[in-house]
Amino acid sequence: MHEKIEKLRGLKLLFVEDEKDLLSIISDALTKLQANFFTANNGLEALDILKNNPDIDAIITDINMPLMNGLDMIENIREQNIQIPIIIMSAHTESEYITRASNHGVSEYLLKPFDFIKFIDLITSMEIK
């Protein structure tokens, strides 16, 4: 696990989640692990952060959020021809969401409730950079 945490520390991540409690838990855990990350409350905020930080390595996003949902955000990112790895974290497993996400190159899914160990395993096993 130590090697995975070291790899995690080398990444710049963007978490997009509108549930304040969950975002706080994730932020606290990532801060304790000395990870490099940003947070956004919706897709519009995330696009702004990504625009100002083009060196972000991966995005982890919820689907249902106000202002701009995760799927619309992913479509916007792909329309800009940004090929950043994206993980969807959601309680939704409907095939419509999965199909729409996979059509935009998203193949990784984390089901809520958020499991930090599964997240670390997934993010450190992905081909990033």
Side-chain angles (χ1 to χ4, degrees), residues 55-97:
D55 59 338
I56 288 174
D57 296 304
I59 298 171
I60 304 87
T61 184
D62 190 11
I63 293 176
N64 290 326
M65 297 177 289
L67 302 180
M68 178 183 278
N69 70 43
L71 293 173
D72 290 342
M73 177 198 70
I74 292 166
E75 289 175 359
N76 187 294
I77 289 168
R78 296 305 188 228
E79 286 169 2
Q80 296 179 54
N81 205 27
I82 299 171
Q83 297 305 314
I84 188 168
I86 299 172
I87 299 169
I88 290 178
M89 62 175 177
S90 181
H92 299 279
T93 57
E94 289 91 353
S95 61
E96 172 196 342
Y97 291 131

Side-chain angles (χ1 to χ4, degrees), residues 8 11-15 30 36-38 56 58 60 119 123:
L8 176 72
L11 300 174
K12 187 180 280 190
L13 306 173
L14 172 57
F15 276 83
L30 288 171
N36 188 2
F37 68 98
F38 296 93
I56 288 174
I60 304 87
F119 162 70
I123 195 75

